[in-house]
Amino acid sequence: MQFGYGSAALLLAVCCLWTTGQGCKTIEQRFKFDNSDIYLRLRRGDKLQYELMKGSKLLQTVTLDNFVTSSDLEATSTGGFKLSDGSTTIEFSLLPSSSGVTHVRVARDQVVKGTQPRDCVMLNKGRVHWFGGSEQKQHYWPVERQQYSNFSYVPKELGNMGVAERYWLNSEGFFLFVDNTTPLFIDQNAPGLEDQLCISAFSALPYDTRLSSSKFSYQLGFAKDAKAAHMYAVKTLLGKPTGYPDERMVQHPVWSTWALYKAEVSDVVVRDFAKQILDNGFENSQLEIDDDWEDCYGALTFRKEKFPDAKKLTDDLKALGFRVTLWIHPFINNNCTAIYKTAKDQGYLVVDHAGSADTQWWNSKPKDAAYLDFTKPAVQEWFSTRLKRLQTEDGIDSFKFDAGETSWVPTDPVLQGDAYQTPLQISTDYVRTVAAFGDMVEVRSGQSTQDLPIFVRIVDKDSEWGWNNGLVTLITSLLQMNMNGYPFVLPDMIGGNGYNGKPPTKELFLRWLQANVFMPSLQFSFVPWNFDSETIAISKNFTKMHSDYTPYIMKMFKRATETGEPVNAPLWWIAPDDVVAQSIYDEFLLGDDIIAAPVIVENARNRDIYLPEGEWTDGNTATVYKGPVWLMEYSAPLNTLPHFVRVGFKLE
């Protein structure tokens, strides 16, 4: 049956799809958005669903998992539609978009407190691949294998979620973007929701529980393929960087004290570390002094027992050709009495609604620390002023900023800014504050900060090979961050961090270094000379290779600022319809012209490599291959990094 509503742009079709003895089992209603060929079809069955269609082509089906209503869709004055269950209204809007892209917003502006509306899309594993999502400790790629159950989706320590943009993209050219005002929980492959990605809004911790109602809004995009969809999302939602990091940090290694020395740093240790680097003939971008240099955590002053004269140390290091950076965090421990009292008296600490600033981080006991409230401009200025003193008086060139995730603040925090975005704004404001220190800055968290011209570091990796936060996840985290709009990725320490008394083996160290070569930067802490002369020789070869490719990396950095394209994209980026390339997790691109296929399996001396469409020159043998093609059991002894460059590519 069809009914006219007095508007040529509005069509309502009602049909009974399945009848039983008691009447219709499934009812379908279809509406057409004004001035478009986009339809919204509502289906009533066991669960309410809406479908978006372009002409007769189905774009996406979304299940309204716990939304029950007998109401019909109604036209809105803006050319969209709305649907109500009596307490909550869902509004569907077709947004202006570029040719070939369909962009729809779905919004509930008044979600009743205590309810948790949940909308689900099918993952269709085995046929469709998914990308994006959050950084994870056990980081599968593509991401349809991940599992979550009623999981609060914020940057947090759990799972190494330093970057958790609310953005998913699939191989069919569909993206889902959830607005920051939504108190987002996700279910993925959860019990009863297998093969589904579900988003829900719930006014529960870690979000602001005092709001009388919450918002639930998200955006759906459809394009011809994943690349077109992502580029549209970059343009309209994710944004692109306004500049790029320091070139010397790209060309030469960063040397950190952390993994090798942990908290056992001092003037003597740092000087000896610098001497070892130079004596073994390695270049440097900078030497980073990591944990336990302060008088107490949060003091931001050098401990004299460890560093008698910080300015003389930095002057001497600079005379040797080093720049000097310093590890910084956003906490103040309670035993840092003077600075803690100042911060507390000035109202500079994040407090909960009971007025307590007590929290915990990895260098404190429970309730033994506080987190600076970067949502307050006065705190941003105070913190920055103290850092500038380290630069002017102690000769520090720049900083490595740690933490920043929302989970470090006290439970149920009082934060400034839009309450609907709590607690996300603490991450955003911290990162934006520290990014002002220039192009040598590195952070490890982000939240809607893709525009910043700084390195974002992958959260600490373990000295393992596998999916247990090991070498393979270095690649998958690299891809995830790029597909979230963060192209300036600083890989973690070569060889991992050596946690749990397990430092890297020689083999793991060298394979990790090889995996880093076509990533933006190299970061050493464990050192080649702690193994043997062969390790030193191989390491020099690959640090030189990375240095040689610096002009191309910088070219890709510049491109990222102009177009928003990733620097290190997944293999399908240059062949969006290639179903094999869509599934590859252990190869990656540098720009559009270089394929890196590092060995990431212990004891392996060969590997299978997939080359997508195009002509590719083997970087080791100069053999030319025409893709798409598999190279089976490609030989890769310990001194070999499999890599391929597009025919015609010239290194400038």
Side-chain angles (χ1 to χ4, degrees):
M1 296 182 292
Q2 294 193 7
F3 302 87
Y5 271 64
S7 169
L10 174 61
L11 171 68
L12 168 61
V14 179
C15 59
C16 187
L17 299 183
W18 179 18
T19 60
T20 68
Q22 283 130 1
C24 280
K25 179 66 175 175
T26 300
I27 296 288
E28 177 187 291
Q29 299 172 309
R30 188 173 66 157
F31 290 80
K32 185 173 182 288
F33 286 100
D34 282 352
N35 304 313
S36 76
D37 60 350
I38 307 300
Y39 292 84
L40 176 65
R41 184 163 66 182
L42 192 67
R43 296 168 63 94
R44 302 178 192 274
D46 291 333
K47 290 187 177 180
L48 189 63
Q49 296 179 319
Y50 70 86
E51 296 176 338
L52 290 165
M53 305 181 67
K54 185 176 178 67
S56 60
K57 179 184 178 182
L58 177 64
L59 298 176
Q60 186 60 258
T61 299
V62 179
T63 300
L64 304 175
D65 189 60
N66 49 14
F67 187 89
V68 179
T69 182
S70 59
S71 300
D72 291 332
L73 285 164
E74 300 177 30
T76 66
S77 59
T78 57
F81 304 99
K82 62 183 180 180
L83 181 68
S84 177
D85 68 354
S87 58
T88 301
T89 298
I90 308 176
E91 185 164 340
F92 304 87
S93 305
L94 182 65
L95 302 180
S97 60
S98 56
S99 176
V101 178
T102 300
H103 188 181
V104 174
R105 185 172 186 265
V106 181
R108 301 166 174 87
D109 284 338
Q110 297 288 329
V111 175
V112 176
K113 193 170 184 177
T115 65
Q116 187 174 5
R118 180 169 57 199
D119 295 0
C120 302
V121 296
M122 294 300 298
L123 293 168
N124 293 313
K125 292 188 301 237
R127 182 176 67 82
V128 179
H129 292 298
W130 290 75
F131 317 103
S134 71
E135 188 177 2
Q136 282 289 284
K137 198 168 190 176
Q138 187 169 311
H139 203 156
Y140 296 120
W141 187 272
V143 302
E144 61 264 18
R145 291 175 59 190
Q146 302 287 162
Q147 293 183 322
Y148 306 95
S149 182
N150 203 30
F151 187 77
S152 61
Y153 199 85
V154 296
K156 56 185 175 182
E157 178 192 22
L158 179 65
N160 286 0
M161 285 179 62
V163 173
E165 296 298 332
R166 301 160 161 221
Y167 172 70
W168 293 264
L169 172 75
N170 78 16
S171 55
E172 293 189 328
F174 164 73
F175 72 74
L176 167 65
F177 179 91
V178 183
D179 296 334
N180 284 346
T181 53
T182 298
L184 177 62
F185 288 78
I186 69 168
D187 294 89
Q188 184 173 325
N189 296 311
L193 297 167
E194 291 80 7
D195 200 30
Q196 295 183 69
L197 170 62
C198 299
I199 57 174
S200 62
F202 190 35
S203 291
L205 295 175
Y207 302 104
D208 192 328
T209 62
R210 287 165 173 73
L211 296 169
S212 58
S213 64
S214 59
K215 300 177 184 291
F216 186 14
S217 59
Y218 58 91
Q219 301 179 50
L220 311 173
F222 311 87
K224 65 177 182 177
D225 56 40
K227 182 176 182 178
H230 181 70
M231 290 307 299
Y232 177 81
V234 166
K235 180 180 178 181
T236 58
L237 298 167
L238 301 176
K240 60 187 180 183
T242 56
Y244 44 82
D246 172 69
E247 183 171 351
R248 186 172 161 186
M249 284 184 72
V250 174
Q251 184 172 13
H252 298 307
V254 175
W255 298 87
S256 171
T257 62
W258 171 244
L260 187 59
Y261 299 104
K262 297 297 190 290
E264 301 302 317
V265 293
S266 66
D267 183 288
V268 172
V269 167
V270 171
R271 289 178 185 276
D272 182 63
F273 190 36
K275 184 176 185 301
Q276 292 178 46
I277 295 166
L278 297 177
D279 287 351
N280 283 281
F282 282 83
E283 299 287 346
N284 79 87
S285 165
Q286 64 225 41
L287 194 157
E288 183 255 330
I289 302 172
D290 212 282
D291 194 357
D292 207 28
W293 59 270
E294 295 176 271
D295 277 311
C296 48
Y297 288 115
L300 296 184
T301 52
F302 276 94
R303 193 184 316 165
K304 296 294 186 181
E305 293 86 349
K306 284 191 164 192
F307 297 91
D309 190 336
K311 184 62 165 64
K312 186 176 190 315
L313 172 63
T314 58
D315 285 346
D316 291 348
L317 290 173
K318 290 175 184 180
L320 295 173
F322 290 92
R323 300 182 296 184
V324 186
T325 59
L326 199 58
W327 173 77
I328 301 291
H329 57 84
F331 307 101
I332 302 178
N333 281 12
N334 296 10
N335 65 355
C336 207
T337 311
I339 201 70
Y340 181 89
K341 184 178 186 306
T342 297
K344 184 176 182 180
D345 290 348
Q346 294 294 324
Y348 288 169
L349 306 177
V350 179
V351 297
D352 62 21
H353 280 80
S356 173
D358 293 344
T359 191
Q360 181 182 11
W361 62 301
W362 62 90
N363 278 330
S364 81
K365 296 177 181 179
K367 299 183 178 181
D368 229 12
Y371 193 120
L372 287 169
D373 189 354
F374 287 92
T375 66
K376 295 180 176 179
V379 174
Q380 298 170 18
E381 182 179 356
W382 183 68
F383 187 71
S384 299
T385 298
R386 296 165 68 223
L387 293 179
K388 290 173 184 175
R389 188 206 63 77
L390 285 165
Q391 292 182 310
T392 57
E393 296 184 17
D394 295 321
I396 299 300
D397 292 295
S398 191
F399 305 99
K400 167 187 176 178
F401 293 100
D402 218 339
E405 299 87 352
T406 67
S407 54
W408 303 112
V409 301
T411 302
D412 195 18
V414 178
L415 299 174
Q416 306 304 302
D418 185 355
Y420 286 105
Q421 296 200 39
T422 296
L424 300 180
Q425 68 266 44
I426 190 70
S427 295
T428 303
D429 291 344
Y430 171 58
V431 172
R432 291 198 177 281
T433 298
V434 302
F437 282 88
D439 59 7
M440 289 176 63
V441 162
E442 59 168 288
V443 297
R444 82 167 198 189
S445 56
Q447 181 64 49
S448 304
T449 49
Q450 293 96 327
D451 58 303
L452 298 176
I454 58 174
F455 274 117
V456 182
R457 177 174 63 87
I458 295 175
V459 178
D460 300 22
K461 295 295 181 186
D462 294 310
S463 297
E464 303 283 353
W465 289 90
W467 295 106
N468 53 338
N469 202 37
L471 175 55
V472 61
T473 66
L474 182 75
I475 298 173
T476 56
S477 294
L478 172 83
L479 298 177
Q480 173 266 341
M481 291 172 74
N482 271 270
M483 298 312 296
N484 269 289
Y486 294 94
F488 308 137
V489 178
L490 181 64
D492 194 38
M493 313 290 180
I494 291 168
N497 284 268
Y499 293 138
N500 303 314
K502 188 178 181 181
T505 62
K506 170 184 173 179
E507 180 188 15
L508 181 59
F509 179 85
L510 287 173
R511 292 306 197 192
W512 206 298
L513 169 58
Q514 290 165 9
N516 269 245
V517 167
F518 292 109
M519 297 181 186
S521 184
L522 305 180
Q523 185 173 197
F524 286 107
S525 188
F526 291 114
V527 291
W529 49 91
N530 279 0
F531 298 99
D532 56 28
S533 58
E534 181 186 40
T535 306
I536 295 173
I538 294 173
S539 297
K540 284 184 176 179
N541 177 51
F542 287 115
T543 55
K544 182 181 185 304
M545 180 183 289
H546 177 84
S547 178
D548 289 344
Y549 277 90
T550 294
Y552 185 68
I553 296 173
M554 298 307 299
K555 182 178 179 181
M556 293 304 99
F557 275 19
K558 184 178 180 182
R559 184 183 74 166
T561 68
E562 295 169 347
T563 68
E565 291 177 79
V567 170
N568 292 116
L571 206 59
W572 58 258
W573 187 257
I574 53 174
D577 296 323
D578 186 329
V579 295
V580 175
Q582 292 165 4
S583 68
I584 299 294
Y585 63 86
D586 57 356
E587 302 176 34
F588 61 91
L589 296 169
L590 172 58
D592 295 339
D593 300 312
I594 299 170
I595 296 173
V599 175
I600 57 171
V601 176
E602 188 174 14
N603 296 322
R605 296 299 183 265
N606 62 61
R607 62 156 295 170
D608 299 339
I609 297 170
Y610 182 72
L611 302 179
E613 182 180 6
E615 291 187 309
W616 302 95
T617 301
D618 187 325
N620 294 302
T621 69
T623 303
V624 175
Y625 298 96
K626 184 176 177 59
V629 63
W630 276 102
L631 307 181
M632 309 305 291
E633 297 186 349
Y634 180 99
S635 179
L638 199 54
N639 64 352
T640 299
L641 166 61
H643 64 286
F644 302 82
V645 298
R646 191 182 295 277
V647 169
F649 170 81
K650 292 183 179 180
L651 190 60
E652 297 175 358

